[in-house]
Amino acid sequence: MAKKDYAIHLITLHNILEFNSEILTEGYVDENGVGHCITPLLYESGWIPFEMSTDGVNYDRSGRWLSVHHSKLSPFYKIIFANATQWQYYGTPNVSGDLKMIWIPSLIKAERVNIELWGYNETGKAYSANWEAEWKYLYTVGRDVPNNGVFSFTPQIAEHLYSLWDLGSMRVSPSTKPDGARDVNALWSGAHAIAWHLEEAFRKDSAGWALEKCINWDKEEKAMPNFLTEITDCPCTLAQARADTGRFHTDYGCDIEAGSLCIYHPGAVHCVRAIQGSPEYGAGQQCCYDSTGAQVLTGDSIGGSTPDRGHDWGEPPYKKPPRVPGFSHWKYDVISFYYCCLWSDNCKYYFTHRPSSDCRTYRPPRAAAVLGDPHFITFDGVTFTFNGKGEYSLLHSSDYELSVQGRTEPMKFENGTVAMATRLSSVAMREKDSDVIEVRLRDQVDELQVLMNQQVLSFSEQKWIDLKGVFVFSPKPTDVTVMFPSGTGVEVRAGGGVMTLTILLPHDLQNHTQGLLGTMNDEPEDDFTSSNGVIIPLNSSAQDIFTYCAGWAIRNETSLFTYDSTHLLNEYYYAPKHDPSFIPNFSVTEDPEDPLLEPTLNLCAGEGASFCKYDALSMRSLEQGNATLLAYRSHTSTKKALEPVQSCGWLSPPNHGWKEGTLYLEGATVTFSCNSGYRLYGSQERTCQAGGKWSGQDTHCVADNTLAIVLGSVGAVLALVVMVIAIAVYTKKQKKEAMKQQDDKVTYQQHGSHL
C-alpha cells in the first residue's frame, strides 16, 4: 500500500484539518480537551500515517489512523438499516412501505442533521490509466431533522439524472453543512443496491428492467479481460477451507460461527475468501460449503460460490478500480448479481462469467507446530523436545525472504521458583519488506500482545488489520493469526500458561525451508540439519538434539524482536542468544511413589502422551499436561483436515435429464436419469476414481422418436452398405471370370501356333 504524509491542523473548537496539503477537513476538541480528526474520503484501507500541526505552520506531531472496510466496521460506527432486505428489494413485487434507518446520535456533533444519498461508480476504460473511482453526492432525502438516531421516509422515484445510480450509501451529517459537503463529521451506511429510488420502469416491471441491465453487464464482461485463469482454486472441503488460514479467511456474509446467515448463498453454511488478490487483475476467490462439508457450486445451485473481478477486501495498492475495498466488488460482482439473479431470474448470464472454481488443482498447506514447554513437530512430522533458553530461528526461507523467530523463557512453578523447563514466550516474523509482526505473552494469564515494528497494536475496535505486506487477525486476546502474501499463515494461541504456535506453508515453499521446524521436503531424515548443513540422526540423544537446536540461535543483527524493558535487554539483547548456563531436565522420572504419577498416566494416553507426561510431571501440574495434550490433538486435527483430497471435477446433468449427487471427490458416485420420452445412452452411474478421472462414459438423453429415426437411418445405411458390398463382390467376380477366359484364349492361341 502506498503511504502518504497527512497534515492535520487542530486550531479551535471547530478545527480545520488538511490532508496531504490538498484535502481540507474539519476537526473538533471535545469537552475533555481531546482533539478529534475528520478523515477525508479515501479509496484504500489500512494504517494511514499523518503529521499534525497546532498552528498551521509547524508539523511537529505525527501519528496514524486506521482506514477500514465498511463491512468490517463495528455497527456502532455506522448507519444501520432496520430492514436491509426491504431497502434493497424496494420496488420489486410486494415490497413497498416506509424505510427506516438508525444510528447513534452522539457520534454526530449536531442537534439537527441532513440525510443524504451518495452514489458510487467507476468510470473510464477498464484496466487503463483513466479508470477512476467516483463518489458523488446525489440528493438530500431528509433536511434539518432531529438528531435522535432514527429516520423513516417513503421513497420517491428520483429524477432521471439520479435514478441511473443503482449503488451507493446513506450519510447523516450536520444540517449546518452545505449539501454534499465532503470530509465533515458524518456517519455512513454500508454499500447497498439503491432499488428504492430507481426509475419508474423498474417499479412497473422490475424483472424486465433488471434483465436488460443483466444483458448489458454480460456484454461489458465479454469485452473485459478474463481473470478466471489466474485465481487460486478452492479447498476441496470445509475442513480444508477453515484450516488453511494462511490463504483463506471467513467471508463475513456467510459465517458458520455467526449462525450461517448466508443470504447470497442459500444452501451454504460457510464461505471463505482468498486473502490475496490474483497477481495481475487483483481478482478475488470465494468458496462456499454445505452442511456435509462439500463445495456448493454454481453448476448445481444458485447458492454456489463465485469468484470476483473486484476482491471484496480490495487489493494493494488500492485507490483505483477494481482494487477499491468493498466498492469495486459491489460494482462488478454484487450489483450485477441483483440484476441477473435477485431482481430477475437470469442467473445463467451471471454464472457464465462467475462460475464456481472446483478444487482439482488445490494443494493443501503443510503444518508445523511448537507447543507445551516446548515440544516441536516439524513440517515432515518429526517430534522432539527442546528446553533451551534464548532466541532461535524457527523457520527461514532465503528464497521467499521469510523469517519466523521464537523466544523461549524459563517456566515457573506455582510458588514462583524457576523450573528447569522453558516455554515459547514470543514469536517475531517478517516476509520480504513487510512490517515486522511480533506476538508475545502478556503479563495477564493467557493473553497475547501484538506489535508492529515494535509498536503495540490494539484490537479493541478492529479484529482485522491491513498492514504493509501482511494481514493480522485477532478475534480475541488469546488468538492471533498472521497472513503473508506467499500464503504463509502463522497461528499463535495462548492457553494453559503457554503459547502454541502453528505455521502453515503452501507447497511453493517445498525444499525452501530451514530452521528448528525442519526442511519441508517429505524426507524426515534431514530435519535435524544444522545451520551449517550438518545432519544429525533422528535417534540422537536428547543432549545431542539440545546441542543441535542451540545452533539455531539468532544474532542481534538478524533479530526481529522488540527489547522494550530492562528484563528483555538484560536477558536477551546483551546476553548470549542461547543461554549456555540454562541446562534443562532432559527427561522425567516415573516414580511409582509419586502421587502425581497415576493421575498423569490416566490423563496422558494415546497420541501426544509422551509430551503430556513430560509437562505434567516436570511442572507438577495436571493442568499443564492437559493443555499440552489438547494442543497436540488440535495440531493432529489440523493435519487431518489438511490431508490431500482427490477431485474429479464437476459433472453436468445431461440435456433432457437430471443427476443425483453433488459431491465430486474420490469415491463419490453420481447417477443420471432422463426425462419421460428420452432414453439414456452412456453411463447411468459414474464414480470418481483415485486418479482424478470419472469412470464410465459421457451420458446423453436421446428422444424416443429421435432414436427411431436414428435406428431407421442406421438400418438404411447398413442395407445400403450391404448392397454396395454385394455389388462390389459381384463385379469383382465378373472381372475375375473375364480375365480367366482371356487367359484361356491366349493359351489356346499360343498352343495353336506350335502345331
Side-chain angles (χ1 to χ4, degrees):
M1 183 194 316
K3 291 188 176 181
K4 296 182 179 179
D5 292 331
Y6 295 93
I8 301 178
H9 302 267
L10 294 180
I11 301 176
T12 62
L13 186 60
H14 297 287
N15 303 292
I16 302 298
L17 296 93
E18 187 179 64
F19 287 74
N20 199 31
S21 300
E22 296 176 356
I23 306 173
L24 292 175
T25 69
E26 290 190 349
Y28 62 92
V29 178
D30 64 21
E31 58 275 10
N32 297 316
V34 177
H36 296 262
C37 304
I38 307 303
T39 60
L41 178 63
L42 294 176
Y43 298 100
E44 59 184 308
S45 61
W47 284 103
I48 310 297
F50 63 80
E51 293 180 347
M52 181 184 299
S53 172
T54 56
D55 59 10
V57 177
N58 300 305
Y59 299 95
D60 53 358
R61 295 182 176 91
S62 64
R64 55 195 172 92
W65 54 276
L66 187 62
S67 176
V68 179
H69 187 292
H70 66 85
S71 71
K72 297 176 183 177
L73 184 66
S74 167
F76 182 88
Y77 297 107
K78 58 186 177 183
I79 299 168
I80 302 298
F81 295 148
N83 185 339
T85 301
Q86 182 190 15
W87 279 76
Q88 303 192 106
Y89 281 82
Y90 200 98
T92 62
N94 304 316
V95 183
S96 60
D98 289 349
L99 296 179
K100 180 181 178 181
M101 50 187 269
I102 59 177
W103 67 93
I104 295 177
S106 62
L107 297 176
I108 303 294
K109 302 302 176 181
E111 293 184 357
R112 305 188 72 81
V113 294
N114 290 342
I115 313 298
E116 301 172 342
L117 174 65
W118 287 63
Y120 181 82
N121 197 13
E122 294 184 355
T123 60
K125 184 180 179 180
Y127 300 100
S128 72
N130 67 345
W131 202 11
E132 299 291 342
E134 177 186 13
W135 266 110
K136 182 177 181 179
Y137 163 76
L138 300 183
Y139 55 86
T140 297
V141 179
R143 191 181 305 279
D144 198 32
V145 301
N147 181 20
N148 58 11
V150 180
F151 179 73
S152 297
F153 67 103
T154 303
Q156 303 296 320
I157 295 173
E159 296 178 17
H160 179 70
L161 179 65
Y162 302 125
S163 66
L164 299 177
W165 293 75
D166 48 20
L167 166 62
S169 294
M170 301 299 291
R171 189 179 85 161
V172 177
S173 60
S175 59
T176 55
K177 300 301 178 183
D179 291 347
R182 289 176 176 259
D183 308 323
V184 299
N185 176 212
L187 287 178
W188 295 78
S189 73
H192 72 287
I194 322 174
W196 50 269
H197 90 148
L198 295 176
E199 59 187 319
E200 182 69 27
F202 178 77
R203 295 198 182 183
K204 287 183 176 179
D205 180 12
S206 58
W209 183 94
L211 173 59
E212 184 179 350
K213 288 282 190 175
C214 178
I215 292 173
N216 289 336
W217 173 80
D218 172 64
K219 293 177 181 177
E220 292 171 359
E221 277 292 316
K222 289 177 179 177
M224 298 177 84
N226 179 14
F227 66 88
L228 298 175
T229 57
E230 67 168 10
I231 56 175
T232 184
D233 249 1
C234 286
C236 291
T237 66
L238 176 58
Q240 287 180 335
R242 300 189 70 188
D244 191 351
T245 54
R247 293 182 290 181
F248 296 90
H249 188 74
T250 297
D251 182 344
Y252 300 110
C254 184
D255 182 2
I256 197 171
E257 298 292 339
S260 299
L261 300 176
C262 306
I263 296 173
Y264 297 115
H265 300 282
V269 299
H270 192 72
C271 296
V272 297
R273 292 189 181 276
I275 295 168
Q276 308 293 335
S278 64
E280 182 175 358
Y281 299 116
Q285 176 64 288
Q286 182 194 52
C287 314
C288 296
Y289 303 85
D290 63 20
S291 58
T292 70
Q295 271 190 281
V296 183
L297 303 177
T298 52
D300 299 321
S301 167
I302 190 176
S305 52
T306 53
D308 304 316
R309 181 172 295 280
H311 195 302
D312 186 19
W313 305 331
E315 175 68 8
Y318 305 109
K319 300 181 183 178
K320 292 178 68 68
R323 299 171 181 266
V324 177
F327 291 95
S328 288
H329 173 57
W330 263 91
K331 168 69 177 175
Y332 300 106
D333 307 297
V334 181
I335 197 66
S336 49
F337 188 74
Y338 277 85
Y339 296 155
C340 302
C341 300
L342 299 182
W343 292 341
S344 72
D345 187 17
N346 296 283
C347 275
K348 60 182 182 293
Y349 289 103
Y350 189 83
F351 292 150
T352 296
H353 301 289
R354 301 292 187 270
S356 298
S357 298
D358 59 27
C359 64
R360 280 176 291 179
T361 64
Y362 173 75
R363 304 188 76 166
R366 299 279 290 279
V370 183
L371 51 92
D373 62 349
H375 311 286
F376 292 71
I377 306 172
T378 71
F379 292 103
D380 290 342
V382 174
T383 61
F384 63 95
T385 298
F386 171 56
N387 269 293
K389 176 199 168 188
E391 295 174 343
Y392 308 93
S393 176
L394 303 178
L395 166 68
H396 181 74
S397 174
S398 56
D399 295 315
Y400 285 82
E401 299 180 56
L402 171 67
S403 183
V404 182
Q405 301 172 354
R407 175 189 290 157
T408 59
E409 66 181 13
M411 296 188 70
K412 294 181 179 180
F413 294 110
E414 291 184 1
N415 62 9
T417 59
V418 175
M420 300 313 294
T422 58
R423 65 178 181 179
L424 192 63
S425 61
S426 186
V427 180
M429 63 207 82
R430 179 175 61 192
E431 182 176 292
K432 297 183 178 178
D433 62 347
S434 74
D435 289 327
V436 175
I437 302 300
E438 182 177 355
V439 185
R440 62 190 186 186
L441 287 171
R442 299 185 64 178
D443 293 336
Q444 293 88 337
V445 176
D446 296 341
E447 284 195 11
L448 298 171
Q449 183 181 68
V450 182
L451 295 89
M452 177 199 73
N453 301 331
Q454 303 185 1
Q455 299 296 316
V456 175
L457 284 179
S458 171
F459 291 86
S460 59
E461 295 180 359
Q462 289 299 312
K463 308 305 178 187
W464 174 287
I465 298 180
D466 301 7
L467 301 172
K468 180 186 176 184
V470 61
F471 300 103
V472 184
F473 176 63
S474 181
K476 52 187 177 181
T478 58
D479 294 13
V480 175
T481 301
V482 183
M483 297 145 278
F484 290 105
S486 66
T488 297
V490 181
E491 299 177 352
V492 185
R493 306 290 183 259
V498 298
M499 175 186 286
T500 298
L501 169 71
T502 301
I503 301 179
L504 300 157
L505 291 185
H507 186 266
D508 292 345
L509 272 80
Q510 184 91 338
N511 292 308
H512 294 291
T513 69
Q514 57 181 176
L516 288 179
L517 292 174
T519 305
M520 189 176 78
N521 61 359
D522 298 310
E523 297 178 9
E525 294 77 15
D526 65 1
D527 272 8
F528 287 160
T529 301
S530 68
S531 55
N532 59 9
V534 177
I535 301 175
I536 69 169
L538 296 182
N539 61 355
S540 297
S541 67
Q543 288 86 347
D544 288 343
I545 293 175
F546 181 84
T547 302
Y548 151 75
C549 293
W552 279 109
I554 62 174
R555 295 175 290 110
N556 278 337
E557 293 78 9
T558 59
S559 174
L560 301 176
F561 289 106
T562 301
Y563 306 92
D564 55 358
S565 70
T566 302
H567 169 75
L568 292 175
L569 286 170
N570 291 336
E571 294 294 324
Y572 295 99
Y573 187 79
Y574 297 120
K577 287 300 183 182
H578 169 75
D579 186 350
S581 66
F582 186 87
I583 307 298
N585 294 323
F586 293 110
S587 62
V588 292
T589 302
E590 296 184 14
D591 184 358
E593 302 299 321
D594 184 354
L596 193 61
L597 180 60
E598 183 175 351
T600 295
L601 295 178
N602 291 335
L603 169 68
C604 303
E607 290 188 351
S610 61
F611 290 167
C612 173
K613 286 191 294 184
Y614 181 96
D615 290 4
L617 295 176
S618 63
M619 293 305 301
R620 312 303 298 164
S621 169
L622 290 176
E623 290 77 10
Q624 190 70 58
N626 187 54
T628 298
L629 186 63
L630 292 176
Y632 184 92
R633 289 175 177 172
S634 176
H635 177 73
T636 301
S637 297
T638 298
K639 290 187 66 174
K640 183 175 179 59
L642 292 173
E643 288 178 354
V645 177
Q646 182 67 62
S647 170
C648 292
W650 179 72
L651 277 180
S652 64
N655 291 331
H656 310 295
W658 71 93
K659 69 177 182 181
E660 294 183 8
T662 55
L663 185 62
Y664 309 106
L665 306 181
E666 182 179 349
T669 297
V670 178
T671 59
F672 303 92
S673 301
C674 293
N675 298 337
S676 177
Y678 291 84
R679 292 191 183 183
L680 187 147
Y681 278 82
S683 299
Q684 184 174 8
E685 181 178 281
R686 304 185 71 181
T687 300
C688 180
Q689 302 175 110
K693 301 290 185 181
W694 288 102
S695 65
Q697 304 298 320
D698 290 344
T699 304
H700 305 278
C701 291
V702 182
D704 289 339
N705 58 348
T706 303
L707 180 63
I709 294 172
V710 170
L711 290 177
S713 300
V714 170
V717 171
L718 288 175
L720 180 62
V721 170
V722 170
M723 291 176 61
V724 170
I725 293 174
I727 292 172
V729 170
Y730 177 78
T731 302
K732 186 175 182 180
K733 182 178 180 181
Q734 291 296 314
K735 287 183 178 180
K736 287 181 66 176
E737 290 183 355
M739 290 178 64
K740 185 174 183 302
Q741 291 178 0
Q742 181 67 25
D743 290 343
D744 289 344
K745 182 177 180 180
V746 171
T747 301
Y748 173 78
Q749 290 175 344
Q750 289 176 344
H751 285 297
S753 66
H754 290 296
L755 292 176

